[in-house]
Structure formats: structure tokens, C-alpha cells
Amino acid sequence: MARAEIFDGRARLTFAEPVGSGSVVDYLTVRVEGPDLSASRQVYAGWESGFSGLAVYFETLVASWRGWDGEQVFESIEHDLRIVATHDGHVHLEVRLRESTEARGWQVRAELRIEAGEQLASASRDVAALVRR
């Protein structure tokens, strides 16, 4: 799989171009797109297991598809990707993508609202297929 996309009809979150050695994906290009917005960044995982933690994050959301209290957070080691999930019958993904190499670098935020059932499960399968070789 070359990419994993989550689209809510308005905003799109794309994970693509996995780079790594063996079965570990160390880098992903992350793109956030919406009305009048397009930003991308190559994000470094920074863990021995690479981006498998991102797959586990989405699998955890799917396992709790009926709802959870508070926030479920995924953040890259360099803090250039942060995803905060909340649930109110739908899953809200607040995505922050930022330039972490500059103290005053750029930053964008977008929110996607997706169905807690099949749409979330499909996104989870696509992310897992991308980051687990």
C-alpha cells in the first residue's frame, strides 16, 4: 500500500511514502489538506518499532468504537505530528502538523469528523498496511 487516507468530505489526512529498513518504517510523509489549506512534512518516528505505534493507536480507537472518555493522543517523538481523538458518537481527529526543526516554524491544525464504525476501521487497516511490512 502506497498511502493511507482519512477523508471526511472536507478535510483529508494522508500518510504516504514510508521509508525505513527491514520491517520498520522510520519516516512517513504526512499531509493535511482542507479548504484553502495544504501542508506536508516528513515525520520521523524515532522509536525502535518505527511507526507501528501509529497503527496501534488507530487499532485502539477501533477497539473502543462505542466511545471513550477524554482524549486519545498520538504524538511523534519530535512533536511534529500530534493526533488527538475524541468521541461523541463520531470520532473527531484533531491533527496538528508542525515544523519542529525551527523554534518559530509553521504549524497547521485541522479537524476531521469520521464515523466510529467502518470508516474508522478502514482507516486503521490502511494505516496498519502502510506501516507494517
Side-chain angles (χ1 to χ4, degrees):
M1 170 164 285
R3 68 178 45 202
E5 291 186 345
I6 303 170
F7 181 60
D8 71 355
R10 186 174 161 273
R12 181 182 317 271
L13 172 62
T14 305
F15 303 99
E17 302 171 13
V19 176
S21 59
S23 63
V24 177
V25 172
D26 293 313
Y27 292 90
L28 282 176
T29 298
V30 180
R31 176 175 295 279
V32 176
E33 297 173 282
D36 302 317
L37 168 69
S38 179
S40 66
R41 174 139 181 97
Q42 187 180 52
V43 176
Y44 175 58
W47 295 287
E48 188 175 315
S49 61
F51 271 103
S52 66
L54 181 63
V56 170
Y57 172 75
F58 278 101
E59 290 164 354
T60 300
L61 299 181
V62 170
S64 303
W65 69 273
R66 290 192 173 138
W68 59 84
D69 293 325
E71 301 176 335
Q72 299 285 335
V73 179
F74 173 86
E75 189 162 14
S76 64
I77 198 163
E78 294 178 339
H79 310 291
D80 44 359
L81 172 64
R82 180 178 170 89
I83 304 171
V84 178
T86 57
H87 193 295
D88 67 357
H90 285 86
V91 175
H92 297 264
L93 299 175
E94 180 187 297
V95 181
R96 183 189 74 188
L97 192 61
R98 72 183 196 93
E99 180 184 25
S100 62
T101 54
E102 295 292 327
R104 302 181 108 189
W106 58 265
Q107 175 174 286
V108 298
R109 290 178 189 237
E111 183 173 306
L112 291 88
R113 179 178 179 254
I114 62 174
E115 296 174 16
E118 184 52 35
Q119 191 176 12
L120 178 60
S122 177
S124 178
R125 286 189 301 270
D126 291 350
V127 168
L130 182 69
V131 301
R132 292 183 177 146
R133 299 180 185 183

Short mmCIF file of all heavy atoms in Angstrom, two decimals, residues 92-121:
data_model
loop_
_atom_site.label_atom_id
_atom_site.label_comp_id
_atom_site.label_asym_id
_atom_site.label_seq_id
_atom_site.Cartn_x
_atom_site.Cartn_y
_atom_site.Cartn_z
N HIS A 92 -13.69 12.45 16.39
CA HIS A 92 -13.09 13.71 15.96
C HIS A 92 -11.58 13.56 16.08
O HIS A 92 -11.06 13.26 17.17
CB HIS A 92 -13.57 14.87 16.84
CG HIS A 92 -15.04 15.09 16.73
ND1 HIS A 92 -15.58 16.02 15.88
CD2 HIS A 92 -16.08 14.48 17.35
CE1 HIS A 92 -16.90 15.98 15.99
NE2 HIS A 92 -17.23 15.05 16.86
N LEU A 93 -10.88 13.76 14.98
CA LEU A 93 -9.43 13.70 14.97
C LEU A 93 -8.91 15.12 14.78
O LEU A 93 -9.08 15.70 13.70
CB LEU A 93 -8.92 12.82 13.83
CG LEU A 93 -9.33 11.35 13.84
CD1 LEU A 93 -8.83 10.66 12.58
CD2 LEU A 93 -8.81 10.65 15.08
N GLU A 94 -8.31 15.67 15.81
CA GLU A 94 -7.65 16.96 15.67
C GLU A 94 -6.19 16.67 15.32
O GLU A 94 -5.48 16.02 16.08
CB GLU A 94 -7.71 17.77 16.95
CG GLU A 94 -7.01 19.11 16.81
CD GLU A 94 -6.91 19.87 18.11
OE1 GLU A 94 -7.95 20.23 18.68
OE2 GLU A 94 -5.77 20.08 18.57
N VAL A 95 -5.77 17.14 14.17
CA VAL A 95 -4.43 16.86 13.67
C VAL A 95 -3.62 18.15 13.69
O VAL A 95 -4.06 19.18 13.19
CB VAL A 95 -4.48 16.32 12.22
CG1 VAL A 95 -3.08 16.02 11.71
CG2 VAL A 95 -5.36 15.09 12.14
N ARG A 96 -2.45 18.07 14.31
CA ARG A 96 -1.52 19.20 14.28
C ARG A 96 -0.25 18.72 13.58
O ARG A 96 0.32 17.70 13.95
CB ARG A 96 -1.18 19.68 15.68
CG ARG A 96 -0.24 20.92 15.63
CD ARG A 96 0.27 21.29 16.98
NE ARG A 96 1.29 20.28 17.34
CZ ARG A 96 1.84 20.20 18.52
NH1 ARG A 96 1.50 21.00 19.49
NH2 ARG A 96 2.76 19.27 18.77
N LEU A 97 0.16 19.47 12.60
CA LEU A 97 1.39 19.20 11.88
C LEU A 97 2.23 20.46 11.97
O LEU A 97 1.71 21.56 11.76
CB LEU A 97 1.06 18.88 10.41
CG LEU A 97 2.14 18.31 9.53
CD1 LEU A 97 2.64 16.97 10.07
CD2 LEU A 97 1.62 18.14 8.10
N ARG A 98 3.50 20.30 12.35
CA ARG A 98 4.33 21.50 12.52
C ARG A 98 5.77 21.24 12.12
O ARG A 98 6.24 20.10 12.10
CB ARG A 98 4.25 22.02 13.94
CG ARG A 98 4.97 21.20 14.96
CD ARG A 98 4.78 21.78 16.37
NE ARG A 98 5.75 21.24 17.29
CZ ARG A 98 6.92 21.78 17.57
NH1 ARG A 98 7.28 22.91 17.02
NH2 ARG A 98 7.74 21.21 18.42
N GLU A 99 6.44 22.33 11.83
CA GLU A 99 7.86 22.31 11.52
C GLU A 99 8.61 22.32 12.85
O GLU A 99 8.71 23.34 13.51
CB GLU A 99 8.22 23.54 10.68
CG GLU A 99 9.67 23.62 10.31
CD GLU A 99 9.97 24.90 9.55
OE1 GLU A 99 9.26 25.90 9.71
OE2 GLU A 99 10.96 24.89 8.81
N SER A 100 9.14 21.18 13.23
CA SER A 100 9.79 21.06 14.54
C SER A 100 11.26 21.46 14.51
O SER A 100 11.87 21.60 15.56
CB SER A 100 9.66 19.63 15.06
OG SER A 100 10.33 18.74 14.18
N THR A 101 11.81 21.64 13.33
CA THR A 101 13.23 21.96 13.24
C THR A 101 13.52 23.44 13.48
O THR A 101 14.68 23.82 13.61
CB THR A 101 13.78 21.56 11.86
OG1 THR A 101 12.98 22.18 10.85
CG2 THR A 101 13.77 20.05 11.70
N GLU A 102 12.49 24.26 13.53
CA GLU A 102 12.64 25.69 13.79
C GLU A 102 11.80 26.06 15.00
O GLU A 102 10.63 25.69 15.08
CB GLU A 102 12.16 26.52 12.58
CG GLU A 102 12.99 26.32 11.34
CD GLU A 102 14.39 26.87 11.48
OE1 GLU A 102 14.58 27.89 12.17
OE2 GLU A 102 15.32 26.27 10.89
N ALA A 103 12.39 26.81 15.92
CA ALA A 103 11.66 27.19 17.13
C ALA A 103 10.37 27.95 16.82
O ALA A 103 9.37 27.81 17.51
CB ALA A 103 12.56 28.03 18.04
N ARG A 104 10.39 28.76 15.78
CA ARG A 104 9.21 29.53 15.40
C ARG A 104 8.69 29.10 14.04
O ARG A 104 8.21 29.90 13.25
CB ARG A 104 9.54 31.01 15.41
CG ARG A 104 10.04 31.46 16.77
CD ARG A 104 10.34 32.91 16.79
NE ARG A 104 9.28 33.53 17.59
CZ ARG A 104 9.09 34.81 17.70
NH1 ARG A 104 9.87 35.64 17.04
NH2 ARG A 104 8.14 35.28 18.45
N GLY A 105 8.80 27.80 13.76
CA GLY A 105 8.38 27.27 12.47
C GLY A 105 6.87 27.27 12.31
O GLY A 105 6.12 27.58 13.23
N TRP A 106 6.42 26.88 11.15
CA TRP A 106 4.99 26.88 10.84
C TRP A 106 4.26 25.77 11.58
O TRP A 106 4.85 24.79 12.03
CB TRP A 106 4.76 26.77 9.33
CG TRP A 106 5.35 25.55 8.68
CD1 TRP A 106 6.56 25.48 8.06
CD2 TRP A 106 4.78 24.24 8.60
NE1 TRP A 106 6.77 24.20 7.59
CE2 TRP A 106 5.69 23.43 7.90
CE3 TRP A 106 3.59 23.68 9.03
CZ2 TRP A 106 5.45 22.08 7.63
CZ3 TRP A 106 3.35 22.33 8.77
CH2 TRP A 106 4.27 21.55 8.08
N GLN A 107 2.96 25.94 11.68
CA GLN A 107 2.10 24.96 12.34
C GLN A 107 0.71 25.04 11.74
O GLN A 107 0.21 26.14 11.49
CB GLN A 107 2.02 25.25 13.84
CG GLN A 107 1.06 24.36 14.59
CD GLN A 107 1.13 24.60 16.08
OE1 GLN A 107 2.08 24.20 16.70
NE2 GLN A 107 0.14 25.25 16.63
N VAL A 108 0.09 23.90 11.47
CA VAL A 108 -1.29 23.86 11.00
C VAL A 108 -2.08 22.88 11.85
O VAL A 108 -1.53 21.93 12.40
CB VAL A 108 -1.40 23.46 9.50
CG1 VAL A 108 -0.70 24.48 8.61
CG2 VAL A 108 -0.87 22.08 9.25
N ARG A 109 -3.37 23.17 11.94
CA ARG A 109 -4.29 22.28 12.65
C ARG A 109 -5.52 22.07 11.79
O ARG A 109 -5.99 22.99 11.13
CB ARG A 109 -4.73 22.88 13.98
CG ARG A 109 -3.65 22.93 15.00
CD ARG A 109 -4.17 23.58 16.28
NE ARG A 109 -3.07 23.81 17.17
CZ ARG A 109 -2.99 23.34 18.40
NH1 ARG A 109 -3.96 22.62 18.87
NH2 ARG A 109 -1.95 23.59 19.14
N ALA A 110 -6.03 20.86 11.83
CA ALA A 110 -7.26 20.55 11.12
C ALA A 110 -8.02 19.52 11.94
O ALA A 110 -7.42 18.77 12.72
CB ALA A 110 -6.96 20.00 9.72
N GLU A 111 -9.34 19.51 11.77
CA GLU A 111 -10.14 18.50 12.45
C GLU A 111 -10.93 17.71 11.42
O GLU A 111 -11.51 18.28 10.51
CB GLU A 111 -11.11 19.13 13.45
CG GLU A 111 -11.88 18.05 14.21
CD GLU A 111 -12.73 18.57 15.33
OE1 GLU A 111 -12.20 19.28 16.19
OE2 GLU A 111 -13.93 18.26 15.31
N LEU A 112 -10.90 16.40 11.60
CA LEU A 112 -11.69 15.50 10.76
C LEU A 112 -12.74 14.85 11.65
O LEU A 112 -12.45 14.50 12.80
CB LEU A 112 -10.82 14.41 10.14
CG LEU A 112 -9.83 14.86 9.08
CD1 LEU A 112 -8.52 15.28 9.71
CD2 LEU A 112 -9.61 13.78 8.08
N ARG A 113 -13.93 14.69 11.12
CA ARG A 113 -15.03 14.03 11.84
C ARG A 113 -15.41 12.80 11.03
O ARG A 113 -15.87 12.91 9.91
CB ARG A 113 -16.22 14.98 11.95
CG ARG A 113 -17.40 14.40 12.66
CD ARG A 113 -18.50 15.47 12.75
NE ARG A 113 -19.66 14.97 13.40
CZ ARG A 113 -20.80 14.66 12.78
NH1 ARG A 113 -20.90 14.83 11.47
NH2 ARG A 113 -21.82 14.21 13.45
N ILE A 114 -15.15 11.61 11.61
CA ILE A 114 -15.40 10.37 10.88
C ILE A 114 -16.33 9.47 11.68
O ILE A 114 -16.48 9.61 12.90
CB ILE A 114 -14.09 9.65 10.53
CG1 ILE A 114 -13.31 9.23 11.78
CG2 ILE A 114 -13.23 10.52 9.61
CD1 ILE A 114 -12.07 8.39 11.49
N GLU A 115 -16.92 8.51 10.98
CA GLU A 115 -17.79 7.53 11.61
C GLU A 115 -16.97 6.60 12.49
O GLU A 115 -15.86 6.19 12.13
CB GLU A 115 -18.51 6.71 10.55
CG GLU A 115 -19.44 7.51 9.68
CD GLU A 115 -20.01 6.67 8.55
OE1 GLU A 115 -19.93 5.42 8.60
OE2 GLU A 115 -20.52 7.28 7.60
N ALA A 116 -17.53 6.25 13.64
CA ALA A 116 -16.82 5.40 14.59
C ALA A 116 -16.77 3.95 14.15
O ALA A 116 -15.96 3.19 14.66
CB ALA A 116 -17.48 5.49 15.97
N GLY A 117 -17.57 3.55 13.19
CA GLY A 117 -17.61 2.16 12.74
C GLY A 117 -16.67 1.88 11.60
O GLY A 117 -15.44 1.91 11.74
N GLU A 118 -17.24 1.63 10.42
CA GLU A 118 -16.45 1.17 9.28
C GLU A 118 -15.44 2.19 8.78
O GLU A 118 -14.35 1.83 8.36
CB GLU A 118 -17.37 0.74 8.13
CG GLU A 118 -16.64 0.17 6.93
CD GLU A 118 -15.66 -0.96 7.26
OE1 GLU A 118 -15.93 -1.77 8.17
OE2 GLU A 118 -14.60 -1.03 6.61
N GLN A 119 -15.77 3.47 8.83
CA GLN A 119 -14.81 4.47 8.34
C GLN A 119 -13.54 4.47 9.19
O GLN A 119 -12.43 4.53 8.68
CB GLN A 119 -15.45 5.86 8.32
CG GLN A 119 -14.61 6.89 7.59
CD GLN A 119 -15.29 8.25 7.48
OE1 GLN A 119 -16.29 8.52 8.14
NE2 GLN A 119 -14.74 9.10 6.65
N LEU A 120 -13.70 4.38 10.50
CA LEU A 120 -12.54 4.31 11.39
C LEU A 120 -11.80 3.00 11.20
O LEU A 120 -10.56 2.99 11.13
CB LEU A 120 -12.99 4.46 12.85
CG LEU A 120 -11.90 4.35 13.91
CD1 LEU A 120 -10.83 5.42 13.73
CD2 LEU A 120 -12.52 4.45 15.31
N ALA A 121 -12.51 1.89 11.08
CA ALA A 121 -11.88 0.59 10.89
C ALA A 121 -11.10 0.54 9.58
O ALA A 121 -9.98 0.00 9.53
CB ALA A 121 -12.92 -0.52 10.93
#
